[in-house]
Amino acid sequence: MTKNLGTHPYLFPMPTYMIGTYNEDDSVDVMMMAWGGICAEDMVALNLEAEHKTATNIEARKAFTLSVPGTDTLKESDFLGIATANKMADKFARTGLHAKKSDHVNAPVILEYPVTLECEVVEMQNQPYGLRVLGKIVNVIADEKVLDEKGKINVSKIHAFVFDQMRNGYYAIGEKVGQAWNSGAELMKVK
């Protein structure tokens, strides 16, 4: 038996990404977001409210970083999603996290986040349903602690977490349960 729940953004999992930008005074601003992701081989799409300080910063600098936080920074990352730089000038400083300037774009890299995409703005689209930012990935930075012996990112070492839109929870992820483009291959065989 099923029950109609109405119209809600109920997909699971929702990502937890951290958008890094610089404010007009060159201080660091970081915001957690869940509405966005990869939209092409070298592109990301962010869906934001135009009122966010981060949106203003992206418009001004034409660049941002997009990071995957680990569970070791869950408290700080959640805070960066709660607080607004429009009202709290020392938002990033309160977390105790550290940043350095990206070598590739005009945005900060947060050192505690294990994977960071450095992105240039391609387009900002003001839509009736919000602001969509399209960014081109110009480089990916990964902490060596999350790399395997071949130098590739091992997702189980990131200790990433996802957002539950239905109950407002965070859930740790990382256990591999199958191999993409292989686990269902036997169903391709003619019986």
Side-chain angles (χ1 to χ4, degrees):
M1 177 180 279
T2 61
K3 179 179 179 183
N4 291 324
L5 299 177
T7 304
H8 300 283
Y10 284 176
L11 280 181
F12 181 82
M14 295 285 285
T16 53
Y17 297 137
M18 308 306 295
I19 308 169
T21 62
Y22 284 122
N23 294 311
E24 61 279 345
D25 65 357
D26 293 328
S27 61
V28 174
D29 177 48
V30 180
M31 143 183 192
M32 181 186 276
M33 63 144 310
W35 295 52
I38 298 295
C39 63
E41 281 291 316
D42 62 351
M43 297 285 293
V44 296
L46 315 178
N47 295 306
L48 305 170
E49 293 179 18
E51 301 81 39
H52 283 299
K53 181 68 170 157
T54 300
T56 302
N57 294 342
I58 290 171
E59 174 72 30
R61 302 287 180 137
K62 304 295 186 219
F64 58 93
T65 55
L66 192 62
S67 300
V68 178
T71 54
D72 59 332
T73 59
L74 190 143
K75 177 178 72 172
E76 295 85 354
S77 299
D78 183 59
F79 169 75
L80 291 168
I82 297 169
T84 174
N86 284 325
K87 296 180 181 175
M88 188 180 293
D90 65 341
K91 173 182 160 179
F92 181 73
R94 289 184 188 204
T95 66
L97 297 176
H98 304 89
K100 72 172 191 122
K101 185 171 183 346
S102 162
D103 292 334
H104 301 278
V105 298
N106 190 9
V109 174
I110 311 311
L111 301 177
E112 289 80 2
Y113 293 144
V115 177
T116 300
L117 284 63
E118 298 169 291
C119 302
E120 294 175 343
V121 173
V122 172
E123 188 175 355
M124 295 184 74
Q125 305 168 343
N126 287 303
Q127 304 287 338
Y129 46 82
L131 173 67
R132 174 174 292 141
V133 177
L134 297 177
K136 179 175 179 57
I137 303 165
V138 298
N139 188 49
V140 177
I141 300 169
D143 189 310
E144 288 184 358
K145 70 181 179 187
V146 301
L147 300 179
D148 65 15
E149 60 283 346
K150 295 180 181 175
K152 295 192 178 222
I153 296 171
N154 178 336
V155 296
S156 66
K157 293 182 176 184
I158 295 173
H159 303 287
F161 58 96
V162 295
F163 175 55
D164 163 14
Q165 181 84 18
M166 283 121 344
R167 300 181 59 106
N168 294 331
Y170 294 121
Y171 295 85
I173 59 172
E175 178 187 355
K176 185 175 181 178
V177 295
Q179 185 66 38
W181 298 284
N182 185 280
S183 294
E186 70 180 65
L187 299 176
M188 295 294 292
K189 298 175 186 172
V190 177
K191 293 183 180 188

